[in-house]
Amino acid sequence: METLSENTCFGGVQGVYRHASDACRCDMTFGLFLPEEAKDGPVPVLWYLSGLTCTHENAMTKAGAQAWAAEQGIALVFPDTSPRGDGVADDESYDLGKGAGFYVNATQTPWAPHFQMWDYVAEELPRIITANFDIDEDRQAITGHSMGGHGALTLAMSLPGRFRSVSAFAPIANPTQSDWGRKQLGAYLAEGADWAAHDSSLLMQESGFDGPVLVDQGSKDQFLELLRPEALAQAMVARRQPGTFRMQKDYDHSYFFVASFMEDHVNFHAEALYAD
């Protein structure tokens, strides 16, 4: 693993690291914020999954999460959103290919050789993080924005016991019924594959989450028709899922929205991470 940068941040360290990924068969880059408490032993961790077109850097520099994580003594992990490199397949559109891994394991040509983002985020990167940094692997939570909100919710519901809490900012909530989903799932997994396993509204109907859930959605989000938040809200109500779904008046899809409610989300996760 190569250290690309380390900067003192709110008493802790914001680092950026690169490593050779077995899952994605290319070099991958991630950001990691360690609070000051990590000097004395393992700390809880909150994973942040970013959205379409983003890298590890967007949330790391725009979400304002480090200030609140430092107050709570929580580490933050910022993975990239896709494999990168000259040999990695891409598409001319912004919502497929590089920057748009959708947190699935691709099975179709030309994506399958590198686009194994589910395995990368669910298995490989956690092993690297816990092996190299003072992270308490028994105290994990996950959040994300847009495509990353989709990833956070589907990972949390598909990996029982892994995460103590899950939250999302404007998640792609019902991708099997949206152009943000059908396009990517059709390309990566093909028609007829198990798309339901990557649809948080369907997973909520089927199994729910064994912990608290928080979802924030802006009422003036320019992508509301693609996100389909009503499907997730209805599924939460039908299942009587412990959690909160908030429609935030006048907010859009930008990082101004994310930063406005990041304190709420970090504190929400801190309550679960320190519950015992």
Side-chain angles (χ1 to χ4, degrees):
M1 189 175 64
E2 178 184 2
T3 299
L4 300 182
S5 65
E6 287 184 334
N7 299 94
T8 301
C9 181
F10 294 101
V13 176
Q14 176 61 65
V16 178
Y17 308 93
R18 181 165 58 209
H19 69 100
S21 168
D22 292 332
C24 296
R25 298 171 62 186
C26 64
D27 286 347
M28 295 292 287
T29 302
F30 67 93
L32 173 67
F33 170 74
L34 287 174
E36 189 173 14
E37 288 83 349
K39 298 174 183 177
D40 301 320
V43 293
V45 61
L46 173 59
W47 292 76
Y48 183 101
L49 305 186
S50 289
L52 290 167
T53 75
C54 292
T55 69
H56 68 281
E57 191 173 21
N58 294 72
M60 191 179 78
T61 59
K62 294 181 179 180
Q66 293 93 335
W68 312 118
E71 283 193 3
Q72 298 289 352
I74 294 172
L76 299 167
V77 182
F78 303 99
D80 202 347
T81 57
S82 77
R84 309 278 176 176
D86 292 340
V88 175
D90 200 10
D91 190 87
E92 62 183 14
S93 63
Y94 74 94
D95 57 356
L96 189 67
K98 293 179 184 178
F102 241 73
Y103 305 102
V104 303
N105 286 338
T107 59
Q108 296 297 107
T109 304
W111 313 107
H114 298 285
F115 281 72
Q116 303 296 308
M117 288 301 294
W118 181 277
D119 283 353
Y120 178 68
V121 173
E123 302 298 336
E124 184 178 23
L125 189 54
R127 287 197 301 267
I128 290 171
I129 295 291
T130 55
N132 289 280
F133 302 96
D134 282 325
I135 298 296
D136 185 347
E137 61 183 327
D138 293 326
R139 295 176 183 267
Q140 299 190 57
I142 192 167
T143 188
H145 172 230
S146 193
M147 179 185 74
H150 141 80
L153 290 164
T154 56
L155 281 159
M157 286 186 277
S158 300
L159 300 171
R162 172 74 66 87
F163 302 105
R164 295 193 175 194
S165 51
V166 61
S167 71
F169 300 87
I172 300 174
N174 193 200
T176 61
Q177 303 301 314
S178 168
D179 288 343
W180 269 1
R182 287 183 297 217
K183 175 181 179 178
Q184 293 83 0
L185 297 177
Y188 297 143
L189 305 180
E191 295 287 345
D194 186 14
W195 290 11
H198 299 286
D199 187 309
S200 60
S201 295
L202 298 181
L203 288 172
M204 182 63 69
Q205 292 174 14
E206 180 181 346
S207 59
F209 177 65
D210 56 349
V213 177
L214 172 61
V215 178
D216 273 317
Q217 172 63 61
S219 68
K220 289 190 177 179
D221 192 313
Q222 58 271 45
F223 303 113
L224 271 175
E225 297 303 315
L226 293 166
L227 300 172
R228 291 182 51 81
E230 66 279 1
L232 178 60
Q234 290 164 7
M236 289 177 65
V237 170
R239 187 163 190 85
R240 296 178 173 84
Q241 169 69 46
T244 303
F245 184 103
R246 306 189 300 192
M247 185 64 75
Q248 300 290 2
K249 187 176 184 295
D250 292 338
Y251 283 90
D252 59 17
H253 200 71
S254 71
Y255 263 95
F256 297 110
F257 161 62
V258 174
S260 296
F261 299 100
M262 181 55 71
E263 180 183 9
D264 288 357
H265 283 245
V266 172
N267 291 344
F268 163 78
H269 291 294
E271 184 175 352
L273 289 168
Y274 288 114
D276 57 1

